[in-house]
Amino acid sequence: MSDSFRAKVDIALTVNGEPVEARVPAGRHLIDFLRLDLGLTGAHASCEHGVCGACTVRVDGDAVRGCLTLAAQLDGSEVWTVEGLSDTAEIRVLQDAFVARNALQCGFCTPGMLVAAQELLHRRPIPDRAAIREHLSGNYCRCTGYEAIVDAVEDTLRKCADEDMA
Amino acid sequence: MTLNFGNPNRPNSYIGKTVPRPNAPKLVEGRGRYVDDITLPRMVHVAFVRSPFAHARITGIDTTEAEAARGVLRVFTGADLAAVCTPWVGVLAHLKGLKSPPEHPMAVDRACWVGEPVVAVVATSRAAAEDGAALVDVDYDPLPVVTDMMTALDKDTPVLHPEMGDNLAFRRQHEEGDTDKAFATAHKVVSARFTTARHTGVTLEPRSILVDWNPADGQMTAYHATQAPHMIQTVLAKHLDLPEGRVRVICGDVGGSYGIKVHVYPDEVATAAIAKVMGRPVKFIADRLESFTTDIHARDHQIEAKIAVDETGKILGFDVDDWTAIGAYSVYPRTSAMEGNQVVNLCGGPYDFANYRASTTVVFQNKTPTCQYRAVGHPIAVAITEGLVDMAAAELGIDPVEIRRRNMYADDAYPVTSPAKMRFEGLSHHASMDKLLSLMDYDALRVDQAEARKRGVHRGIGIASFIELTNPSPFMYGIGGARISAQDGCTVRMDPDGSIVALSGVTEQGQGTEAMLSQIVAEGVGVSPSKVRIITGDTQVTPYGGGTWASRGAGIGGEAALRSAMALRDSILDVAAAMLQSDKSKLDIRDGEVVDADTGASRMPLEELGRIVYFRGDTLPKDLPRELVQTRHYITSEYPFAFTNGVQASYLEVDTDTGIVTLLKHWCVEDCGRIINPQLVDEQIRGGIVQGLGGALFEEIHYDAEGQLLNGSMADYLVPMAAEMPDMIIGHVETPTKESTLGAKGAGEAGTAGAPAAVMNAINDALRPLGAQVTHMPFTPERILRALGTIDD
């Protein structure tokens, strides 16, 4: 059987900074690979077709949908999930702001929301509230009404900008 | 001991303050533990073959191919499960005449809605189970379908459940005063037809259950995303023929509920039945299409209603004819007739008027069953009431605020019994309206609106007052015969290190229950909230209770927690008095220390007291009670419900070329009695508002005439996203209920209850100069353009 018809694919990648080698079914989605094979249950499966953002993780620097990405595509990639971003404290300021603002209720959307929000932190000039809302419009939250999330992201943006200035 | 809530400088004052949620850090780090995160040894997965027809006889099922598929372990038909699980009937005795046929965990010989489970395939993975399910061959003989609620009772409409005689599930007619006379002699009568769309909850975490039957222990353990673990324990025990004490329901982190997860779902009971048969853990996680077709729906109502007013705008009467369709079965055990019943109970709620006629007609149809979803019946009743009040105001040329002022119950009028026979202990409509107007600067907004109009920009202001039903007593379900607890309990204990553990029957699904309980227990005992650990959601451990629904967590669960905490404090002081050879009344507990009550001087840290009680009991007097564990239960008794009240306002802009509505700002003032944690209450209200805004502008389940659900994905069923939502200003008036020490009423339904009416009134305020009016939710661009006459085909 030729390579292009293999049912299982060997991949080597790093996940949260650690090397991972795996043989994955060709149709296995990244979110299932993370959750079922690696036990990284922080990112969640919800809509399963790229609309809600609960499965958002970082792949090679970009926030991507874990439910639309195949694990087999990720040979050589660098994947970060909320667990790894927590361990490195990269999103600590954002996480603290979410807790302080109660920008989460059930918490199911939160890991994906944080990964999506983190993308904004490098943007200059600081986006206004409308731009924050627009950026987060790929992530459903059914509990909060979004305002506290926008507040938390705005707080973090300002804090990071102040630190840049200092 | 009494708590002086009015004094913010009292010792241990945590009730009324924003403190962090103890479970939030774990959730932001992705360390939550939702059902799908749990993997057990020997666990298998189930996928369901579901009916593709809204109504069909099942004439044959061939499972041969599926059984042979890789990974498939076993296939179950409806008949297989009917042999191990008794059917249920979703009726309540006090809803007189309510009927529903017996329902099985899977269809036995007839499917009654698209998505009803027919066959279950169990395999080593969910993917293998789905592959197997695709190989099951079911022969269906399609039957005529009933889809239109308004013709469901016509004589030429087929009867969905022939043994029922007709498609009527329930009808209630209520009359108070002389409505005919009031309307015949009124200065003005305004009537309208309202439609509220079928909604569903769209919890981000789909319905989830993992059931483990351990035959060696004779114990069933269900890890379940539910709001009512004890209710589920009772239901599983009853229908699977197990002793109730041998069923344990564990409800850990739950990813959104909103009422969706407070019901008994056939596929979840099927999962438990399969686990019992197979003797191993079985997991079922609904996929998104399954969520849309099988999570309960709600709000599918059509209403003809009218209001009678005199020359001054005084309301003389309401006349409401509500119709709703509940799908194929009344959902067990809460029943699906409750929403229509609430419309009758709640219409006209804020207003002092004499003549009231309301009826609800609840019919069966071949669609997904409907049942209780956040703010049951409230958004419908508020839209009817507030829509008509605004229309009457416009007819009379009275300002919408003024007409409400003239009709709302006076703040000193209570207690009051409404024409709908609802008993109000103490509401604050006028104070709430005062606060709303100052928060929104109503007069300035009217000026802005007028200026915008000159520029051809159509802005509208909408006001909606409402009442909200919280803290339900046994009059909600108990009197109807449902085993759904209206009481709740809390056990509080002190451990040797002076820390406190509180076990509560109410549950956490993101509302902040754990934070709220930790504050109450902390204040009640006299420690800081960080010293309190809250345990919820485990029926083997926590006191029996109702769980978290109908805004009962703080009002019922919180009061039980306060009483148990104060009892524990009392027990601790008994021991402390003996140890310190002091009069108990001279001692207090503050910030984790026994102190002199008058001076606040430290006498002994709680960990020292704990050390002596637990390890050096020999040093204490022989007969000294040393019970550092206390349990108290609470149930309301004077009023069937603790009604709250509030008022919302929406400011928005209608683009009359495109029909698109842009929300500019939203306000809500609510009176939920004693506020335990202001931030959590505000966020409950904001989240609720956005669910209401979704109902007003986006959310609608569509079916075709054959009962096929047309928009079963998140891309097709629109819910609010961050970009469309406005900032929301929240204010409070506090009228504590006198029924409890704590005085807390619920806050969970308020936002959803009032937001659709506020938006409807704001749109109609914007469109009124153009002679257009909308009453059919959601107010999509198409419906607005039709109202404007831009589209007329």
Side-chain angles (χ1 to χ4, degrees), chain B residues 320-520:
Chain B
V320 177
D321 182 16
D322 170 65
W323 281 64
T324 182
I326 57 169
Y329 292 92
S330 171
V331 174
Y332 182 69
R334 282 163 201 264
T335 84
S336 307
M338 199 58 89
E339 190 169 71
N341 197 53
Q342 296 294 38
V343 172
V344 173
N345 286 341
L346 297 169
C347 277
Y351 303 114
D352 186 357
F353 63 99
N355 306 292
Y356 182 50
R357 178 160 57 212
S359 65
T360 188
T361 302
V362 181
V363 301
F364 291 113
Q365 61 181 172
N366 292 110
K367 293 181 185 173
T368 300
T370 69
C371 207
Q372 279 75 297
Y373 165 50
R374 193 175 199 169
V376 184
H378 291 64
I380 301 153
V382 179
I384 296 166
T385 306
E386 295 298 272
L388 289 173
V389 166
D390 257 27
M391 290 171 199
E395 283 276 316
L396 295 169
I398 304 176
D399 185 88
V401 172
E402 180 56 27
I403 194 169
R404 288 177 171 83
R405 291 270 196 216
R406 291 180 192 175
N407 286 287
M408 293 184 303
Y409 286 108
D411 289 356
D412 61 2
Y414 302 96
V416 152
T417 299
S418 77
K421 291 285 178 253
M422 296 292 106
R423 292 171 59 213
F424 305 139
E425 182 205 355
L427 303 178
S428 59
H429 290 296
H430 290 273
S432 296
M433 183 70 87
D434 290 345
K435 185 140 203 174
L436 178 85
L437 296 184
S438 74
L439 280 178
M440 68 190 288
D441 200 348
Y442 183 73
D443 296 334
L445 225 51
R446 286 286 179 207
V447 171
D448 179 74
Q449 177 189 32
E451 282 171 358
R453 239 171 225 165
K454 284 182 203 153
R455 291 181 275 122
V457 173
H458 299 277
R459 291 185 173 172
I461 301 168
I463 309 275
S465 296
F466 59 90
I467 55 171
E468 174 195 1
L469 181 159
T470 75
N471 293 3
S473 74
F475 279 79
M476 188 104 166
Y477 295 113
I479 56 165
R483 292 171 72 88
I484 299 170
S485 179
Q487 72 156 22
D488 233 294
C490 187
T491 295
V492 174
R493 75 166 196 254
M494 193 192 105
D495 284 344
D497 66 348
S499 68
I500 307 295
V501 176
L503 305 104
S504 171
V506 296
T507 52
E508 167 81 86
Q509 294 99 37
Q511 299 92 335
T513 302
E514 291 186 13
M516 172 274 290
L517 291 175
S518 76
Q519 288 171 260
I520 293 169

Side-chain angles (χ1 to χ4, degrees), chain A residues 24-52:
Chain A
V24 293
R28 195 134 180 101
H29 288 105
L30 173 57
I31 187 66
D32 293 332
F33 174 63
L34 293 171
R35 291 179 55 81
L36 303 176
D37 298 341
L38 303 187
L40 293 166
T41 55
H44 298 125
S46 180
C47 76
E48 301 178 88
H49 62 185
V51 178
C52 78

